[in-house]
Amino acid sequence: MWTKGHCPKARLIVKTTTKLWSSKPAKPSRPVPSAQLRPQTEKHRRRRERENTILSTQHHKVEDKALNWSEKQKIVYTAQTPAGTKKDTSLPFPSSYSPDYVESCWYQWWEKEGFFNPDQHERLTHRVDQTFSLCIPPPNVTGTLHLGHALTVAVQDALVRWRRMQGCRVLWVPGCDHAGIATQTVVERRLLREKGKCRQDFSREEFLQEVWKWKNKKGEEIYHQLRRLGASLDWSRACFTMDPGFSRAVTEAFVRLSDSDLIYRSEGLVNWSCALQSAISDIEVETKEVSGPTMMSVPGYENKVEFGTMFTFAYTVDGQDSEVAVSTTRPETMLGDVAVAVHPDDPRYQAFHGLWCRHPFTNRLIPIITDTMVDMEVGTGAVKVTPAHDFIDFQLSQRHSLPRPSVIRGDGTMEPLCGEWLEGVKRFDARQLVVNGLVEKKLFRGKKNHTMSLPICSRSGDVIEPLLKKQWFVRCETMAIKAIQAVEDGQLEIIPHYYTKTWKNWLSSISDWCISRQLWWGHQIPAYQVQLPNSTAKEEEHWVWGKSEKEARQRAAVKYGVNPEDITLQQDPDVLDTWFSSALFPFTMLGWPEKTSDLQRFYPNSILETGSDLIFFWVARMVMLGSELTEQLPFRQVLFHSLVRDKYGRKMSKSLGNVIDPLDVINGVSLKRLQEKVKEGNLDPREQLVAMEAQRKDYPNGIPQCGTDALRFALCSHKIQGEDINLSVSQVLSCRHFCNKMWQTLRFTLGVLGDNTPVGALEETTPLNSMERWICSRLYSTIVQCEQAFEAYELHIVTSGVYSFWVHNLCDVYMEYVKPVLLKENGGVEILTDKDHSSSTKQVASTVLYHCVSLSLALLSPFMPFITEELWQRLQPFTPEATAQTSLCLQPYPRSTHLK
């Protein structure tokens, strides 16, 4: 009866110095985010178009209509229910859906009963011998979740709840990342604001105490958000990347990789924030589009600094009455120039090959070299080479064995090498002094407006300075080859599959990974500089590593053949890149390096689900380090979901002021409070104007209360494996209306069922007329659709299928068919006793209605856990047989094989 029925008719971070290289540059010296590969001018144009759309006074009728909403009646659950005890569903059924009423009490009960613990598996009557495990991408401990995080939670929890209902042994581990730079920056700003002190006014131990205070105060905010989102995480296993056990694992990983010669110390060019005085990762570098001369605030400068200007000056050719002109946006770096490069085929410079230029300030001779990387059609066709302050120039110095003198210090001031007139001067102040000096020497050839992309530190707002520093690096090439091979051999599946090409292309050109950070908050590098007896300061550095200083001392004694007590050790004060510890998360969360029962049962993880923007910074590094340290891939599948953007197509970012706290959608929020949050940020005037105008247009009356279930359902209703998601709150509001539809459906169903007499089993219910057979066949088809879509991780097909069945089949057709058989009386529903509708017919109709609603609630449970639990519990007095499980989240997920 189920399978047949008749339907009635019803990212390249662009350096600040313009380079004239050809379109085929050499292998990049560091990872380049895919989002930055789009030409910067096009990216800038699109951003301006979106901003102009927001600032435009014109409104679209469709958008205006979507903004209309009215405040709904709030109904509150008032029964005295101690925390962790089951909610009383015997109370009168409220007249309408209210998130406040529905979402109270359930999560505390689920958590206290241990429903999210994998040990619950042994008590399931429908359990299967299958494990499903994954970790949540650990958010920054001092941050707050935004709608992008909410999408991750909604998708992961839907998969987790589905597998749990299928009878699998499920483990979903929560955790937070210590977020080295982000957290330290927040605490430093707070100390400066509240105490007028900077980090250097404290000892390292004192400052870390302040950070821990802040973490303990703010760290629970994210966990609160996750609970409000209904995430069925096993909180008994929650971990923090600075926990003692996790820290020991990080040390173990560093030591093992160093012993395998996969970590080494070397001098290399890094992204440097002078404000933080630390190297930073590529993901913490944002680009600021500058179209012509623009005055910008830079940390450490009282006056704004001009960017967007191209300067041209000349080098005189030694021994000849001629010159070579070069252009740059950063004339202050010319003190570090070691060569002028031209294309070997450029006819303008054929006579200059092998000649030398005289540096106007240092009097040094610098060679004119030839290289095919130079684009002779851009600018003068000649470029200055500054290896210590430009990534491409650094590569050029390697090809031509050029020196790499640094002219800017870590604090952003000029080095003594520049001469007394510049020593100690701030880099951007030195810019004008250098230009003035060139004018005096009659070598300045002018300046012009220039469109450029300026690399900015997302944490400090500082302009990034590429600097040459001695750092610790991870040797990536061999591990990257293995990661590529794992995908090609089918050991690791990447979904959607088109990301496999991105995976291979990026890993094929990967460079070594700088893991040193000049911070205090984080995992201090377990490496020690060794001072041997009778050694001098000018000798080469000696380093050892170990799980403790005692072990490092023993290693040094063996390595250098001296007595342990004669050695002086000094631990490296730097800390490890946050992404290093995050890359260990899938196995460290299970107790690695100890051989724990969790590690044996749940590793490798079944799947990793995360945003596509983390493919390089997190996913690839997990695969590389996991395979190396555990000799197993950390997971078998990777599922990438799309990015959440606002309705104008802009990526949700704090730097744009367009992030939305999911709790503001769940609870509702006023426009005034939304605008206060923008003002509390650190936006420049134009960005603040755009952000606030977008809010005024989109939320003139604020954001209505939508509830958790509506938000989750809306997020999962998008095709997560396709284009980015342009989410508008009006879509979430529509899903709240669906919640009310479900609520009213159950009110009707309860009225049909009457007293607490159990209904019969569906397979024993006969005879069925054509309408009953039709609705049963539609339910069967819906279940088949859900099964197939869940297996393919096409969650939008599941949500659309169940929504369509509930609204268009169950409500619009079947319930309309049933209503004529019913008579409303005294607020209830009473079955008529006329001769046309025998009690047997009505019993069949009631039974079919009950099972359609009950099974549909089970289908929706992974997406809408609160309302489905509330409504399912109300149906339990009518269940045809005693239910073994007390919660819907542990009920068997509907299977088509059970309905044939």
Side-chain angles (χ1 to χ4, degrees):
M1 67 182 179
W2 298 94
T3 56
K4 296 180 180 180
H6 173 68
C7 178
K9 294 183 181 178
R11 260 157 225 234
L12 176 64
I13 297 168
V14 180
K15 276 70 68 182
T16 52
T17 299
T18 296
K19 287 297 156 187
L20 312 181
W21 308 122
S22 66
S23 60
K24 295 183 179 180
K27 175 180 171 182
S29 61
R30 68 193 193 289
V32 179
S34 60
Q36 296 178 353
L37 295 177
R38 181 193 301 161
Q40 295 297 323
T41 53
E42 174 66 12
K43 186 177 179 181
H44 177 62
R45 184 188 64 80
R46 292 188 182 185
R47 177 172 174 174
R48 282 289 176 177
E49 282 183 356
R50 290 163 180 161
E51 290 178 351
N52 291 335
T53 299
I54 294 170
L55 296 175
S56 171
T57 57
Q58 297 179 358
H59 292 263
H60 297 286
K61 293 181 179 180
V62 176
E63 292 176 357
D64 287 345
K65 185 177 180 180
L67 295 174
N68 294 327
W69 59 275
S70 58
E71 193 73 42
K72 302 296 182 183
Q73 178 188 6
K74 290 189 177 183
I75 304 172
V76 181
Y77 177 77
T78 57
Q80 297 298 317
T81 305
T85 58
K86 189 176 181 181
K87 189 175 181 179
D88 185 0
T89 54
S90 66
L91 298 176
F93 197 60
S95 60
S96 62
Y97 166 73
S98 175
D100 290 321
Y101 185 95
V102 168
E103 294 171 19
S104 63
C105 302
W106 288 122
Y107 196 94
Q108 293 88 335
W109 177 60
W110 294 332
E111 188 176 342
K112 185 175 180 181
E113 291 296 317
F115 293 157
F116 308 151
N117 189 298
D119 295 338
Q120 182 74 32
H121 175 262
E122 304 305 322
R123 297 188 285 274
L124 298 179
T125 57
H126 60 288
R127 65 182 177 272
V128 295
D129 188 19
Q130 184 177 342
T131 296
F132 185 76
S133 61
L134 74 162
C135 66
I136 194 169
N140 293 354
V141 69
T142 57
T144 54
L145 303 182
H146 53 67
L147 286 181
H149 296 108
L151 174 63
T152 301
V153 172
V155 171
Q156 289 193 1
D157 198 34
L159 297 176
V160 163
R161 288 177 178 270
W162 167 58
R163 288 298 190 189
R164 189 181 290 120
M165 294 176 74
Q166 282 191 316
C168 298
R169 181 184 291 104
V170 174
L171 176 63
W172 187 24
V173 178
C176 273
D177 190 277
H178 65 278
I181 290 179
T183 303
Q184 179 165 313
T185 301
V186 169
V187 174
E188 286 194 58
R189 287 176 180 169
R190 181 181 65 86
L191 291 174
L192 185 62
R193 181 177 64 251
E194 297 178 1
K195 299 183 179 182
K197 294 182 177 181
C198 61
R199 171 167 53 105
Q200 288 74 16
D201 294 326
F202 299 85
S203 68
R204 184 168 186 150
E205 291 70 25
E206 290 171 341
F207 179 78
L208 291 179
Q209 289 177 7
E210 293 290 334
V211 180
W212 277 107
K213 288 178 186 177
W214 177 258
K215 181 268 174 187
N216 294 332
K217 179 181 179 181
K218 291 288 186 178
E220 288 299 316
E221 189 170 339
I222 281 178
Y223 286 171
H224 169 68
Q225 287 180 300
L226 289 171
R227 287 181 167 96
R228 284 299 309 276
L229 284 166
S232 57
L233 294 149
D234 183 3
W235 294 103
S236 67
R237 289 173 167 84
C239 61
F240 174 48
T241 52
M242 287 290 286
D243 285 341
F246 208 109
S247 295
R248 286 193 295 272
V250 171
T251 298
E252 177 79 24
F254 183 93
V255 171
R256 288 194 188 185
L257 293 170
S258 298
D259 287 343
S260 301
D261 196 32
L262 290 173
I263 289 181
Y264 65 95
R265 184 172 174 83
S266 179
E267 188 175 59
L269 206 58
V270 298
N271 293 317
W272 186 268
S273 168
C274 297
L276 298 174
Q277 295 194 40
S278 174
I280 63 172
S281 67
D282 290 320
I283 201 171
E284 289 155 334
V285 178
E286 297 177 346
T287 54
K288 175 76 175 179
E289 307 298 336
V290 177
S291 55
T294 304
M295 304 303 293
M296 292 177 52
S297 297
V298 178
Y301 291 80
E302 293 184 5
N303 300 319
K304 291 186 176 182
V305 179
E306 183 183 84
F307 297 93
T309 301
M310 177 75 75
F311 303 87
T312 300
F313 68 92
Y315 275 115
T316 59
V317 179
D318 191 55
Q320 293 192 19
D321 185 20
S322 57
E323 65 179 37
V324 176
V326 295
S327 297
T328 180
T329 59
R330 306 174 65 208
E332 67 275 12
T333 64
M334 63 88 64
L335 277 299
D337 287 357
V338 296
V340 172
V342 298
H343 196 284
D345 299 332
D346 194 330
R348 293 169 294 178
Y349 301 108
Q350 290 293 321
F352 294 89
H353 295 184
L355 300 182
W356 297 75
C357 292
R358 178 75 62 177
H359 198 287
F361 297 121
T362 65
N363 207 37
R364 287 183 292 109
L365 287 174
I366 59 175
I368 299 175
I369 62 174
T370 60
D371 199 290
T372 55
M373 290 175 65
V374 179
D375 190 337
M376 56 181 140
E377 297 180 1
V378 178
T380 65
V383 295
K384 60 192 286 295
V385 181
T386 320
H389 300 282
D390 186 278
F391 289 96
I392 296 180
D393 290 3
F394 181 79
Q395 291 182 347
L396 202 60
S397 72
Q398 292 176 314
R399 290 162 61 132
H400 295 270
S401 302
L402 298 172
R404 302 163 195 155
S406 293
V407 295
I408 300 175
R409 293 187 282 212
D411 63 357
T413 61
M414 305 304 287
E415 290 272 15
L417 176 67
C418 300
E420 293 183 3
W421 66 297
L422 287 179
E423 181 181 356
V425 177
K426 294 180 180 179
R427 52 181 170 154
F428 298 130
D429 292 339
R431 175 173 297 177
Q432 189 59 48
L433 294 179
V434 171
V435 171
N436 293 342
L438 290 168
V439 170
E440 289 178 9
K441 293 179 179 293
K442 302 186 183 331
L443 294 173
F444 188 67
R445 298 294 177 261
K447 65 179 183 179
K448 62 180 180 179
N449 298 349
H450 180 66
T451 298
M452 60 188 297
S453 297
L454 203 61
I456 304 292
C457 173
S458 62
R459 304 302 179 185
S460 65
D462 193 16
V463 177
I464 294 300
E465 187 66 53
L467 288 186
L468 202 57
K469 293 285 184 178
K470 287 188 175 180
Q471 305 280 289
W472 294 94
F473 293 85
V474 174
R475 211 182 303 274
C476 294
E477 185 176 7
T478 302
M479 291 189 291
I481 292 173
K482 294 179 181 178
I484 294 171
Q485 196 65 42
V487 172
E488 292 181 344
D489 293 347
Q491 302 173 48
L492 177 64
E493 182 183 11
I494 296 178
I495 306 168
H497 292 145
Y498 56 75
Y499 278 111
T500 57
K501 183 177 180 180
T502 307
W503 178 267
K504 181 176 181 179
N505 289 345
W506 185 77
L507 286 173
S508 296
S509 60
I510 195 172
S511 61
D512 290 351
W513 168 23
C514 173
I515 56 173
S516 303
R517 297 293 179 267
Q518 290 63 45
L519 306 171
W520 284 356
W521 173 245
H523 300 104
Q524 191 170 354
I525 296 176
Y528 301 79
Q529 189 168 5
V530 181
Q531 186 174 352
L532 300 172
N534 303 320
S535 62
T536 64
K538 294 183 179 180
E539 287 185 6
E540 181 183 352
E541 291 183 351
H542 302 293
W543 290 87
V544 292
W545 44 85
K547 300 172 190 176
S548 64
E549 183 175 337
K550 180 180 179 181
E551 179 181 303
R553 187 176 298 278
Q554 291 297 327
R555 285 172 173 252
V558 173
K559 183 176 181 179
Y560 298 109
V562 297
N563 293 324
E565 58 270 17
D566 295 333
I567 295 173
T568 301
L569 295 181
Q570 180 64 47
Q571 186 172 359
D572 192 329
D574 292 352
V575 300
L576 289 165
D577 180 11
T578 298
W579 293 100
F580 183 85
S581 52
S582 297
L584 311 178
F585 206 87
F587 46 96
T588 301
M589 71 179 189
L590 302 174
W592 183 92
E594 305 300 326
K595 295 182 179 179
T596 63
S597 59
D598 274 2
L599 192 64
Q600 294 172 351
R601 286 197 299 171
F602 301 112
Y603 189 79
N605 298 171
S606 305
I607 191 172
L608 175 79
E609 196 285 330
T610 189
S612 57
D613 54 335
L614 294 180
I615 184 171
F616 309 130
F617 300 108
W618 191 42
V619 181
R621 289 165 177 173
M622 280 191 287
V623 170
M624 290 192 297
L625 295 191
S627 301
E628 183 65 32
L629 293 169
T630 69
E631 298 182 346
Q632 297 184 81
L633 289 168
F635 27 74
R636 304 179 186 92
Q637 290 181 315
V638 179
L639 173 61
F640 289 120
H641 65 244
S642 306
L643 300 183
V644 178
R645 299 182 180 273
D646 64 17
K647 64 186 291 184
Y648 303 100
R650 300 180 304 159
K651 180 179 178 180
M652 289 195 173
S653 167
K654 290 181 180 179
S655 63
L656 294 178
N658 64 343
V659 294
I660 298 177
D661 184 338
L663 297 191
D664 287 342
V665 181
I666 293 171
N667 300 325
V669 66
S670 67
L671 174 62
K672 179 181 178 181
R673 180 59 191 135
L674 286 172
Q675 305 231 304
E676 286 173 354
K677 289 186 176 184
V678 171
K679 292 177 181 178
E680 291 167 4
N682 188 29
L683 303 180
D684 68 32
R686 177 179 170 83
E687 288 169 342
Q688 186 178 105
L689 174 65
V690 172
M692 296 180 70
E693 182 60 25
Q695 290 178 340
R696 278 190 289 267
K697 282 188 174 182
D698 297 344
Y699 320 118
N701 302 313
I703 296 177
Q705 182 188 40
C706 296
T708 298
D709 292 314
L711 175 59
R712 289 171 54 124
F713 195 75
L715 288 167
C716 290
S717 295
H718 289 271
K719 185 176 181 180
I720 63 170
Q721 297 183 36
E723 295 293 323
D724 289 348
I725 298 170
N726 291 5
L727 183 72
S728 80
V729 174
S730 61
Q731 297 166 347
V732 187
L733 191 58
S734 296
C735 293
R736 174 180 166 141
H737 297 156
F738 176 52
C739 290
N740 191 60
K741 188 83 169 180
M742 294 168 62
W743 193 264
Q744 300 306 328
T745 301
L746 201 84
R747 286 191 74 220
F748 179 85
T749 304
L750 292 175
V752 171
L753 296 174
D755 57 21
N756 290 349
T757 303
V759 301
L762 192 56
E763 58 271 19
E764 299 171 1
T765 302
T766 56
L768 298 181
N769 63 25
S770 60
M771 180 59 76
E772 266 96 40
R773 288 196 299 273
W774 173 79
I775 192 66
C776 288
S777 72
R778 296 312 306 144
L779 179 59
Y780 173 83
S781 297
T782 301
I783 293 174
V784 171
Q785 183 180 15
C786 291
E787 287 177 325
Q788 295 173 348
F790 254 128
E791 291 291 347
Y793 305 127
E794 297 280 5
L795 302 189
H796 67 291
I797 295 179
V798 182
T799 56
S800 65
V802 185
Y803 176 89
S804 180
F805 171 78
W806 192 297
V807 174
H808 302 304
N809 300 152
L810 182 60
C811 293
D812 291 352
V813 179
Y814 187 68
M815 284 175 56
E816 292 301 317
Y817 160 78
V818 172
K819 283 180 181 178
V821 185
L822 307 171
L823 172 67
K824 295 184 178 179
E825 185 176 287
N826 297 326
V829 181
E830 182 180 285
I831 299 180
L832 291 174
T833 58
D834 61 284
K835 61 182 180 180
D836 295 323
H837 298 285
S838 67
S839 59
S840 173
T841 301
K842 297 160 190 172
Q843 174 104 21
V844 168
S846 299
T847 300
V848 170
L849 178 61
Y850 166 86
H851 286 288
C852 284
V853 172
S854 180
L855 287 170
S856 296
L857 289 173
L859 291 173
L860 285 168
S861 179
F863 306 98
M864 311 173 85
F866 293 103
I867 188 173
T868 54
E869 185 76 73
E870 179 82 29
L871 300 183
W872 183 81
Q873 293 287 349
R874 298 265 178 179
L875 285 178
Q876 287 319 288
F878 308 97
T879 187
E881 56 187 21
T883 304
Q885 313 306 331
T886 58
S887 172
L888 175 59
C889 69
L890 298 180
Q891 282 292 298
Y893 197 75
R895 293 177 181 270
S896 58
T897 53
H898 295 165
L899 300 181
K900 285 187 176 180

